[in-house]
Amino acid sequence: MKIAIITRDTRGGVQPYVALGVGLQAAGHDVRMVATADFAPMFEQAGLTLSPVPGDSREEMTSVASMTEVSPIANMRRAAAMTGSRTKQWTKDTLAASEGAELLTGGIGGMLMGLSVAEKLGVPFVPTHLQPVDAPTSRYPGVLLPNVPAWMGGAGRIASHRLSNLALWKPFERPMMAARREVLGLSGRPTAALGQPVLYGFSRHVVDLPPEANPLGQVTGYWFADTPSDWSPPTDLSGFLAAGSPVVSIGFGSMAAADAASLTSVVRRAARAAGVRAVLLTGWGGLEGAASDDDVFVTESVPHDWLFSRVDATVHHGGAGTTGAALRAGRPTVVVPFTVDQPFWGGRAHALGAGPMPIPRKRLTADGLAAALRQAVGDSRMRARADEIGRLIRAEDGVARAVEAFGRVASRV
């Protein structure tokens, strides 16, 4: 089957779909990635074909850096306002890049254009999510409203799911419907995903989706895009890790800080106060690229699957993919959420006993982070629980289960 995977996101949001694409291709499907061209090296390295659409994901994401420290719902509203004017062109580009496909798939970023494009092409769309969206349950709160007061009980948690879904989709409804009419000549609401399975690329040991939450939902396990076996770390990094412990990894991925120098100072002082050495990952601007020394190694990025299992604890922003990688490594994880789904994943790591209470970015202090680091490296029960969760996640094969689901869809098309 010819499958187009549509993804418009940060690097961490794209990598799981690379893993999914590799798995589908290995199973005999003809896979193309529909994404911006700046990810071309990642796709080429994975052996995947790219049908590029205009744009630069890093430029787009860093241009909204001011949104990384606001509430998740406010973030979605502002993101919709900034992207609304581009939706028609993005839809046109996605249609051109998807021509000839027999099935389209993607998560929230891909569905904005992909649902309607699939309908125009007369093919199904299979939602593939990295977050538990469109699946209301009383077991845990909604992805954008994770801090529901306990006194609200199960009804409050279900309400938080419904409000989260509204916040995710409602701000984009008007531009999406305009693109349907004016670009694709379609009317009414999208229908390409009706009756299709909804695949969730995370572990049931992290978020256990009950059957009643979404009868079509299937939690497959994480989709990990692991580093090629011939990759080797810089010699100076290997030397730094071998020079003593405890060592922690600190980085905020694609999150850009309004004052990277200040944030870098906070994490350096916290590491010093906690008595740990640190690998600082500057990412897309969350931390400043200062000089390394005996206690701090500074670099832009290191593959998470390699690094996280070689440190005593991780500190990160709580993106879905980064949280999954941290939990799989079996090390305690300290989440400093900035916005969107990150508070949710920080809350899940803490609820599982695999990490301290998350520290929201706007409330981060050197003292608070130092206390969390001391707990992460020194709490034996937390370390044992993190190790247990890691073993459970490593025993899963989320890509294989997702590929099986696509095979069932292909047999019906």
Side-chain angles (χ1 to χ4, degrees):
M1 172 173 273
K2 297 179 179 179
I3 300 175
I5 301 177
I6 305 168
T7 176
R8 199 169 196 120
D9 208 328
T10 63
R11 183 181 183 87
V14 171
Q15 282 181 318
Y17 295 101
V18 172
L20 180 60
V22 169
L24 288 167
Q25 190 162 269
H29 297 285
D30 182 351
V31 177
R32 78 180 78 164
M33 306 299 296
V34 178
T36 53
D38 52 309
F39 288 118
M42 185 196 304
F43 301 135
E44 182 178 357
Q45 185 179 56
L48 295 171
T49 299
L50 171 64
S51 288
V53 294
D56 183 293
S57 62
R58 181 164 184 168
E59 181 179 326
E60 290 170 2
M61 295 301 169
T62 54
S63 70
V64 295
S66 62
M67 299 185 342
T68 60
E69 296 176 31
V70 300
S71 73
I73 292 179
N75 185 295
M76 297 308 298
R77 288 174 179 165
R78 293 174 64 180
M82 296 185 71
T83 62
S85 61
R86 306 175 187 175
T87 303
K88 292 178 187 178
Q89 186 60 50
W90 286 355
T91 300
K92 187 181 299 184
D93 296 335
T94 301
L95 176 63
S98 303
E99 284 289 349
E102 299 170 289
L103 182 148
L104 272 59
T105 188
I108 296 169
M111 292 179 75
L112 179 61
M113 294 75 64
L115 278 174
S116 297
V117 166
E119 186 176 337
K120 181 68 174 179
L121 296 175
V123 302
F125 187 100
V126 174
T128 45
H129 292 303
L130 306 181
Q131 302 87 5
V133 299
D134 295 330
T137 175
S138 62
R139 293 191 183 181
Y140 45 81
V143 71
L144 294 186
L145 292 168
N147 298 317
V148 179
W151 62 264
M152 294 185 70
R157 287 187 287 274
I158 290 176
S160 75
H161 280 275
R162 300 196 187 284
L163 290 171
S164 291
N165 288 342
L166 280 174
L168 281 169
W169 299 115
K170 194 66 176 177
F172 298 97
E173 183 176 34
R174 183 173 295 179
M176 184 175 73
M177 296 302 288
R180 281 176 61 80
R181 293 191 306 271
E182 299 172 29
V183 176
L184 303 175
L186 300 173
S187 60
R189 305 192 67 79
T191 58
L194 295 179
Q196 300 301 331
V198 181
L199 306 183
Y200 294 97
F202 47 77
S203 171
R204 65 183 177 85
H205 301 294
V206 178
V207 178
D208 187 13
L209 197 76
E212 66 273 13
N214 186 334
L216 297 174
Q218 301 176 35
V219 177
T220 64
Y222 284 103
W223 307 325
F224 290 118
D226 287 333
T227 304
S229 58
D230 60 354
W231 182 86
S232 58
T235 303
D236 52 353
L237 174 57
S238 295
F240 180 85
L241 292 172
S245 62
V247 182
V248 302
S249 166
I250 304 176
F252 304 117
S254 58
M255 296 296 99
D259 187 348
S262 175
L263 181 55
T264 304
S265 175
V266 167
V267 299
R268 278 180 174 264
R269 285 186 285 120
R272 189 180 308 115
V276 301
R277 299 161 65 243
V279 177
L280 295 192
L281 308 174
T282 59
W284 283 11
L287 295 173
E288 192 175 53
S292 300
D293 56 38
D294 290 344
D295 294 321
V296 176
F297 185 93
V298 181
T299 185
E300 181 178 355
S301 64
V302 179
H304 289 167
D305 60 300
W306 184 90
L307 178 63
F308 286 0
S309 62
R310 288 168 169 80
V311 296
D312 295 282
T314 61
V315 179
H316 56 88
H317 59 297
T322 306
T323 303
L327 292 172
R328 180 174 68 158
R331 304 291 191 270
T333 188
V334 181
V335 178
V336 180
F338 285 59
T339 190
V340 196
D341 60 333
Q342 297 159 16
F344 174 84
W345 292 114
R348 291 308 303 156
H350 177 62
L352 292 168
M357 182 79 72
I359 309 171
R361 164 65 189 101
K362 60 186 177 182
R363 295 205 292 270
L364 182 68
T365 64
D367 288 344
L369 181 55
L373 287 171
R374 283 191 288 268
Q375 184 181 11
V377 301
D379 187 324
S380 60
R381 286 185 299 179
M382 181 175 291
R383 298 188 66 77
R385 180 58 176 155
D387 180 69
E388 179 185 7
I389 294 294
R391 285 188 284 105
L392 291 170
I393 291 174
R394 292 193 297 273
E396 296 176 322
D397 191 340
V399 170
R401 290 196 64 194
V403 169
E404 290 173 2
F406 275 96
R408 290 190 289 271
V409 175
S411 68
R412 304 196 307 263
V413 175

